[in-house]
Amino acid sequence: MLLAEPRGFCAGVDRAISMVEQALETYGEPVYVRKQIVHNEHVVRELQGRGARFVDSEDEVPEGAICVFSAHGVSPAVRDNSARRGLRVIDATCPLVAKVHQEAKRASANGRTIVLIGHADHEEVEGTFGEAPDRTVVVPTVDSARRLELPEGTEVTFLTQTTLSLDETRDIITELTRRFPGIQGPGTDDICYASQNRQNAVKEIAARSDVVLVVGSDNSSNSVRMVEVARGRGTPAYLVNDVSRLDESRLAGADAVGVTAGASAPEFLVRQLLNRLDELGYTGREVVRTTTENVTFAVPGSLFDHAGHRD
């Protein structure tokens, strides 16, 4: 059995969860959270048990109550609506997502059209798109980049969702650069360090495994991308929400099993899966480390101070 390192929680996820926990400890329940704080049902369930109340919209939060914005960020319209309703906002947006928002603001202020590489239905993309909805077009695939039509002379900037596949995003950027030679952008730098590191690690274990299991929820973009990256290396790969939903028939004939976890998946889920694999006879364990992560994002001294930074 090959265990990828790094795996699991990233700095942005750690920070966001810590902010909800600290809000509960400091102010007591209820603390309202707009959307899932991170995309993992087990994390959400645990916080619910401690008094967090998850809502789909800030409109569901009682006026004047505490409302936590999730790690995926929100649009200016959500911020404005929250202010009108007198909500006490705690902003748990990942600092790397906040960086993309700032890039969108700058591009829009400079009169540029923004090509946002990502998935339109993802909360992160909804938030970034909302910074300049009249100047932004979402491009999810190479084919959509190939078919994109913009008026002659349009000044174009591209930005990316932070949790995408590095390889696929590079292909989309190549196509956009071919189509729009004057295009500007941050390269692949918008894709967060954790997504890059976990994708590199899954490539390493996929090359040596008969099957790869990625612990993560179905709505976790970075976890789904890790499955796709492993499959792109020719290795069967599957998303496992938790050990109770492991389809053991997928291990038939597999001698070497690779295990990793998305950036929003808690380590206890990995341990439960490893214990079950031990019971199934996969007792040898090798940690495959491709890099060491030492990034942290500080929780603001005051939760209502939204300035996260990289240590």
Side-chain angles (χ1 to χ4, degrees):
M1 183 161 44
L2 301 173
L3 183 60
E5 181 67 37
R7 65 178 181 278
F9 278 1
C10 64
V13 165
D14 264 330
R15 175 179 181 269
I17 294 171
S18 294
M19 290 176 78
V20 177
E21 292 174 337
Q22 190 168 321
L24 288 166
E25 292 169 4
T26 304
Y27 304 106
E29 58 179 282
V31 167
Y32 293 85
V33 183
R34 187 184 183 278
K35 306 289 188 180
Q36 292 188 353
I37 186 67
V38 299
H39 285 156
N40 187 273
E41 60 193 75
H42 296 275
V43 171
V44 168
R45 193 177 305 131
E46 180 186 2
L47 291 173
Q48 282 176 325
R50 299 174 62 174
R53 300 185 186 180
F54 291 85
V55 296
D56 286 329
S57 168
E58 68 281 0
D59 287 325
E60 300 174 51
V61 181
E63 291 190 7
I66 292 175
C67 179
V68 182
F69 293 157
S70 80
H72 310 103
V74 299
S75 68
V78 170
R79 295 182 185 278
D80 292 345
N81 189 37
S82 298
R84 280 194 299 270
R85 303 189 66 252
L87 302 185
R88 301 172 65 198
V89 168
I90 296 173
D91 188 356
T93 301
C94 173
L96 297 181
V97 175
K99 169 180 171 286
V100 180
H101 279 245
Q102 292 302 318
E103 291 166 347
K105 290 177 184 177
R106 282 195 296 271
S108 176
N110 290 329
R112 303 182 69 84
T113 293
I114 300 165
V115 177
L116 179 55
I117 302 171
H119 304 283
D121 58 349
H122 192 278
E123 289 155 34
E124 180 188 327
V125 170
E126 290 173 0
T128 305
F129 181 88
E131 294 290 354
D134 296 334
R135 308 193 69 88
T136 305
V137 57
V138 178
V139 171
T141 64
V142 173
D143 186 57
S144 59
R146 190 173 296 122
R147 292 184 284 105
L148 177 62
E149 296 295 336
L150 296 174
E152 186 83 21
T154 299
E155 294 185 318
V156 186
T157 292
F158 72 85
L159 303 173
T160 74
Q161 181 182 333
T162 64
T163 55
L164 298 179
S165 159
L166 190 61
D167 294 337
E168 183 180 6
T169 304
R170 188 179 291 114
D171 291 342
I172 295 173
I173 293 170
T174 297
E175 180 61 22
L176 288 173
T177 302
R178 184 189 71 81
R179 295 284 318 285
F180 309 103
I183 196 168
Q184 296 179 4
T188 55
D189 290 343
D190 279 349
I191 298 178
C192 86
Y193 78 94
S195 292
Q196 294 181 33
N197 290 345
R198 280 149 190 73
Q199 289 171 29
N200 291 338
V202 84
K203 289 176 185 178
E204 190 73 20
I205 63 169
R208 300 171 53 192
S209 302
D210 299 311
V211 63
V212 170
L213 304 176
V214 179
V215 178
S217 291
D218 295 332
N219 63 337
S220 168
S221 175
N222 78 88
S223 300
V224 172
R225 300 291 87 72
M226 289 165 69
V227 172
E228 293 173 351
V229 166
R231 289 176 178 171
R233 288 297 192 266
T235 305
Y238 306 97
L239 194 64
V240 180
N241 284 268
D242 59 56
V243 69
S244 71
R245 283 175 273 186
L246 171 65
D247 183 350
E248 295 175 6
S249 68
R250 290 170 170 168
L251 302 176
D255 293 323
V257 177
V259 176
T260 187
S264 51
E267 183 65 12
F268 81 85
L269 296 177
V270 177
R271 295 299 167 191
Q272 291 175 349
L273 177 61
L274 294 177
N275 290 341
R276 179 55 185 157
L277 291 172
D278 282 342
E279 294 171 354
L280 294 172
Y282 297 98
T283 53
R285 191 175 301 174
E286 177 188 347
V287 174
V288 179
R289 183 185 300 275
T290 52
T291 191
T292 299
E293 290 182 349
N294 53 16
V295 175
T296 60
F297 293 135
V299 173
S302 164
L303 289 176
F304 298 101
D305 171 13
H306 304 151
H309 64 274
R310 199 167 179 163
D311 287 344

